Amino acid sequence: MPSLFAEMRQDLLVDFFTREFIAISRELTYCGQEGPYFTYYFEDHDQLPGKLKVCANYGAIQEMTFNNISRYELSEDSVEFRARTKS
């Protein structure tokens, strides 16, 4: 999952205090909940739902899906790990 983790790391460098993100297709437009969140696209990351499930199983993220949009929250341990690693 290096490309997904690299994108998450880059996003956190830009906005360190954002913890929520959505997973969505580029074919859709999401005009949902306010507040900062990152967006990761199915088209950019092969098997993204499975990768996110593995992350959830390890406690790196927590699923908080509603309104048929896959929404997640990064754990603090996950954010700290991404801030320390380069790849």
Side-chain angles (χ1 to χ4, degrees):
M1 296 188 262
S3 67
L4 176 59
F5 291 161
E7 185 175 350
M8 288 177 167
R9 187 176 310 102
Q10 187 62 39
D11 287 342
L12 288 166
L13 288 172
V14 173
D15 191 355
F16 182 75
F17 294 105
T18 295
R19 296 295 184 262
E20 292 186 22
F21 67 90
I22 62 171
I24 194 169
S25 171
R26 288 192 177 277
E27 297 175 1
L28 301 175
T29 301
Y30 179 64
C31 301
Q33 178 180 351
E34 288 185 32
Y37 56 86
F38 303 126
T39 304
Y40 302 108
Y41 296 100
F42 299 128
E43 293 83 357
D44 295 347
H45 302 284
D46 188 39
Q47 299 180 356
L48 182 58
K51 291 174 180 178
L52 296 176
K53 187 65 157 176
V54 169
C55 290
N57 289 344
Y58 277 101
I61 62 174
Q62 179 180 10
E63 184 175 359
M64 27 190 296
T65 297
F66 64 94
N67 293 341
N68 296 322
I69 297 296
S70 298
R71 182 179 289 270
Y72 301 87
E73 184 172 0
L74 293 164
S75 72
E76 294 306 314
D77 286 341
S78 178
V79 170
E80 183 179 329
F81 175 77
R82 294 200 199 323
R84 288 191 324 249
T85 59
K86 293 182 181 180
S87 58

